Amino acid sequence: MLISDTHRFLFIHVQKTGGSTIDNNLSAALGDVRRIPEAHRHAPLERLLQLEPGLADYWIAGFVRNPWSRMVSWWRMVERFRDGADRGVERYLDHLKRNKFIASVIAEHPDFESFILNATAEHARLRKPQVEFMTTPTRDADFVGRQESLESDLKTIYDRLGLEWTPLESVNIDPGRPDYHDLYTPASRDRVAELFAADLSAYDYTF
């Protein structure tokens, strides 16, 4: 999450939606940025409003992504940590000592099919619909951008906040990522559709 009190703005950071790139660029453009120490950086809107009810009066934005593509991004991150640790890269080894979630996925799920069919049952964060990050019973995000149109949607946020646009400096780029369509079997495709039915309905995504 990212908060600018000067601009009365709250950004919701959903995992695997380009959020790190967005956060870095907004932080530089906004100037005054703060976080809520008690909240995880991927905390949903409902949790943030529990901690700071006054944020309901702020302009609230976040980004989402096609669920099938998003799950491939999750898996590619797992592969990077696994392969880096196998090569003995110290930063990956150190991270896996601290990140029990990634370590357990690597230990128990050797391939993408197992990750989709089984890891999603074991780890709640992998099956939480994105719409649940953006909505509460009393307050919804004012603007929901899409990772697929990240730059143009982020420009919309800049315009709304009166910020000067600067070219994006992307992070966590995965140039070797395959077309997500090629990785799914009928079973894994259906599993994602089942898990993220709320996202498919809310954001009109299709396979």
Side-chain angles (χ1 to χ4, degrees):
M1 114 283 298
L2 173 157
I3 300 166
S4 169
D5 294 313
T6 298
H7 292 84
R8 297 181 63 77
F9 170 64
L10 168 63
F11 169 66
I12 307 298
H13 184 170
V14 180
Q15 307 100 316
K16 305 303 167 193
T17 61
S20 294
T21 293
I22 296 165
D23 189 299
N24 289 348
N25 282 269
L26 280 174
S27 293
L30 288 165
D32 76 310
V33 166
R34 67 179 178 87
R35 324 283 174 173
I36 301 176
E38 299 85 359
H40 191 276
R41 69 192 186 108
H42 298 303
L45 177 58
E46 186 169 25
R47 171 62 175 160
L48 298 176
L49 295 184
Q50 288 172 351
L51 293 168
E52 287 197 25
L55 291 174
D57 295 329
Y58 282 28
W59 194 69
I60 301 168
F63 277 70
V64 296
R65 183 176 188 171
N66 182 298
W68 288 280
S69 176
R70 182 169 174 256
M71 294 307 291
V72 170
S73 184
W74 270 112
W75 175 246
R76 294 284 287 182
M77 181 187 70
V78 171
E79 287 187 313
R80 285 197 300 274
F81 279 99
R82 181 195 64 197
D83 296 346
D86 287 346
R87 297 194 308 271
V89 179
E90 195 64 31
R91 67 187 180 95
Y92 290 115
L93 292 168
D94 287 345
H95 189 89
L96 290 180
K97 291 177 183 177
R98 294 178 280 106
N99 193 319
K100 302 304 182 185
F101 160 65
I102 297 293
S104 66
V105 171
I106 289 172
E108 298 168 17
H109 303 287
D111 54 42
F112 183 66
E113 188 83 351
S114 177
F115 175 72
I116 295 297
L117 297 181
N118 301 313
T120 53
E122 299 165 5
H123 300 281
R125 74 185 72 181
L126 292 175
R127 61 179 184 267
K128 184 180 180 70
Q130 296 165 95
V131 70
E132 292 185 9
F133 286 85
M134 301 295 182
T135 63
T136 80
T138 58
R139 181 73 164 90
D140 296 344
D142 299 292
F143 178 78
V144 178
R146 296 175 184 247
Q147 184 270 345
E148 296 83 7
S149 52
L150 189 151
E151 185 163 315
S152 62
D153 288 348
L154 186 55
K155 282 182 178 178
T156 298
I157 293 176
Y158 271 59
D159 290 344
R160 172 64 172 74
L161 299 178
L163 302 174
E164 181 179 355
W165 177 254
T166 56
L168 287 181
E169 295 184 12
S170 298
V171 297
N172 296 333
I173 299 300
D174 181 10
R177 183 172 60 242
D179 186 320
Y180 73 83
H181 297 88
D182 297 334
L183 297 183
Y184 283 93
T185 63
S188 58
R189 174 180 171 174
D190 289 348
R191 173 65 171 164
V192 171
E194 173 192 4
L195 290 173
F196 299 105
D199 289 344
L200 303 185
S201 175
Y203 307 122
D204 200 29
Y205 278 119
T206 61
F207 186 71

